[in-house]
Amino acid sequence: MMNGKRWLALLIAAGLFLISIGVQFATSLASTNFENVFGQQDELFNETVVESGNSGNKIAVLPLEGVIQDTGSGSLLNNSGYNHQNFLRMLEKAGEDKSIDGIILRVNTPGGGVVESAEIHDKIVEIQENTDKPVYVSMGNTAASGGYYVSAPADKIIANAATLTGSIGVIMESINYAELAEEYGIDFNTIKSGKYKDIMSGSRPMTEDEEAILQTMVDELYDEFVQVIVDGRGIEEATVRELGDGRVYTGKQALDNQLIDGLGTLDDTIAMMEEDNELGEAQVVQYETGFHFDQLLGMTAKSFFGSDMKLAGLRELIRESDAPRAMYLYSR
C-alpha cells in the first residue's frame, strides 16, 4: 500500500501535468487570433486585402496549396494542409459574391485525387457558365497532374519559366509486401465473396486479369483527363495524347506546347486580368483559411503526443496505401 508521502508525490505530479497542459494550451491560444478561433464555424476562411485599389473593382485570389485530397475535417488530428471542402466553399463564395469581378487561382500542387480534382474543375466551369467573371490561373513552383487538370478550364494560365507542370496522366499504386511477409513467416487469411474482392492486395502478387481490370480503369480516367484539356485549351486530341505521356514540363516548355498562355508572376497575372477585362486598379483580396478551435486542440495534442501521433499517422498512411486509388498526381 502507498503511504501518505507517496500519495502526496503522485498528486503533485498529476497537478504539474495538468498545469503543463494548461500552459501549452494557453500558449497556443495566445498566438492565435481570438476572434477566428471562436468565430462561427461557417466562416471557414478570411478575406485579406493584398492591394487596396481605387477603381471600385475587385479581384479575389484563391490559394490552392498542397496535395488535392479530401482527408475530412472531423478529426482533431487533421489540423493542417489542404482542406478540400473549404477550398470548394472558397470557389463557391467567389462565384456568388457580386462584389468580385475576377478570380485568380494561385495553384501550387502536385495534384491529388481524381474525384477531388474533378470537383474543383467542375466548380470552375460552373462559375464560368453562370457568371461573366474571368477565371485566371497563376502557377507556383508546381502545378502538375491534378494541378494542371484544375487549371485547364481557366480563361488564361500564367506560369513561371521554372514552374513544373504537365504530368498529364493517371497513376494507381499500392505496396506489395508478400515476399517480405513470406520471409518472416507471416500468413494472411482472406475470406472474400468474389475472386476480385481483394484486388491490388499487398499480401499477394497481382494476377494478369487483375492488372488488366485496373489498367482499363486507368485508361478510362486518362481519357477524361485528355478531354478536359481538349475542351479547356482547344488543343487537338492527338496533340494532347502526344504531350500527355506523364512527363513534366517547365513553364517555358508548357508555353511552347500551348499548355499555358504566358510567363509571369502572380502580380503579372493580376495586371493581365485588370488589362484584359477593363478592371482598372482593382482591389485585390486573398482568401485565407481561418484558424478554428478544433485546429487549436489538434496542435495542442500534437505538442504532447508528438511521436505517438506520428506513429498513428504512419499507420493511417499504410492503411490508405493498401487500398487501390487512382490519382492525378505527380509522383517523384
Side-chain angles (χ1 to χ4, degrees):
M1 296 181 62
M2 297 179 64
N3 58 32
K5 290 183 178 180
R6 290 185 176 180
W7 275 112
L8 180 60
L10 182 62
L11 290 173
I12 291 174
L16 290 173
F17 178 72
L18 292 174
I19 292 172
S20 177
I21 291 178
V23 170
Q24 288 279 352
F25 187 83
T27 300
S28 298
L29 188 61
S31 62
T32 305
N33 185 301
F34 192 81
E35 181 179 352
N36 285 342
V37 171
F38 294 100
Q40 295 183 358
Q41 288 298 305
D42 57 348
E43 294 296 332
L44 295 177
F45 47 89
N46 309 311
E47 188 177 288
T48 302
V49 176
V50 178
E51 296 180 13
S52 56
N54 55 23
S55 65
N57 299 315
K58 190 174 181 182
I59 295 172
V61 177
L62 281 61
L64 175 50
E65 298 269 350
V67 177
I68 304 172
Q69 190 168 354
D70 192 353
T71 57
S73 57
S75 171
L76 291 178
L77 307 186
N78 178 33
N79 68 328
S80 63
Y82 171 77
N83 186 312
H84 183 61
Q85 296 304 321
N86 201 15
F87 186 77
L88 291 178
R89 291 189 185 98
M90 285 185 184
L91 273 174
E92 186 174 356
K93 182 176 186 296
E96 293 177 349
D97 189 340
K98 297 187 185 308
S99 70
I100 300 295
D101 300 293
I103 301 170
I104 296 176
L105 272 61
R106 177 62 173 175
V107 179
N108 190 21
T109 172
V114 165
V115 172
E116 293 93 332
S117 299
E119 288 177 338
I120 295 174
H121 169 275
D122 293 348
K123 184 66 70 174
I124 293 170
V125 172
E126 180 183 322
I127 291 172
Q128 292 171 319
E129 291 177 346
N130 296 334
T131 73
D132 58 357
K133 299 178 182 181
V135 179
Y136 284 16
V137 163
S138 169
M139 291 181 168
N141 291 321
T142 304
S145 205
Y148 188 77
Y149 186 104
V150 303
S151 302
D155 298 298
K156 184 169 283 189
I157 304 175
I158 306 300
N160 187 280
T163 294
L164 291 182
T165 186
S167 188
I168 299 165
V170 189
I171 189 168
M172 184 180 285
E173 293 180 310
S174 71
I175 299 173
N176 190 290
Y177 41 81
E179 292 185 10
L180 180 64
E182 183 179 355
E183 181 180 345
Y184 285 92
I186 300 173
D187 294 324
F188 296 91
N189 297 315
T190 303
I191 301 172
K192 53 187 179 180
S193 58
K195 66 177 182 177
Y196 297 124
K197 184 60 179 174
D198 64 340
I199 193 169
M200 217 172 180
S201 169
S203 63
R204 62 174 178 79
M206 183 183 298
T207 68
E208 292 184 1
D209 286 347
E210 291 171 335
E211 185 175 350
I213 290 172
L214 294 172
Q215 187 63 56
T216 300
M217 295 169 57
V218 167
D219 291 344
E220 180 180 323
L221 294 169
Y222 175 71
D223 290 342
E224 181 180 333
F225 200 153
V226 169
Q227 192 59 48
V228 161
I229 299 173
V230 170
D231 295 340
R233 299 295 302 167
I235 305 175
E236 292 291 331
E237 180 179 334
T239 302
V240 175
R241 290 185 180 276
E242 183 179 349
L243 294 170
D245 59 3
R247 77 182 69 183
V248 292
Y249 298 95
T250 65
K252 186 177 183 304
Q253 292 171 337
L255 179 61
D256 292 339
N257 287 292
Q258 300 180 329
L259 292 174
I260 66 173
D261 299 292
L263 300 177
T265 64
L266 174 59
D267 288 340
D268 295 329
T269 308
I270 293 170
M272 290 179 193
M273 176 169 280
E274 290 175 334
E275 182 178 351
D276 295 345
N277 301 277
E278 299 181 352
L279 295 180
E281 296 182 8
Q283 180 188 55
V284 180
V285 299
Q286 179 167 306
Y287 289 176
E288 297 177 343
T289 302
F291 194 88
H292 294 281
F293 193 65
D294 57 348
Q295 293 175 295
L296 178 61
L297 290 178
M299 289 180 64
T300 304
K302 281 189 176 181
S303 69
F304 283 106
F305 308 109
S307 59
D308 291 338
M309 291 186 67
K310 287 180 181 178
L311 180 59
L314 179 60
R315 289 171 179 165
E316 182 65 23
L317 180 62
I318 292 174
R319 281 196 294 270
E320 289 182 0
S321 69
D322 200 32
R325 183 178 186 188
M327 305 283 281
Y328 294 142
L329 183 67
Y330 169 39
S331 180
R332 290 168 288 182

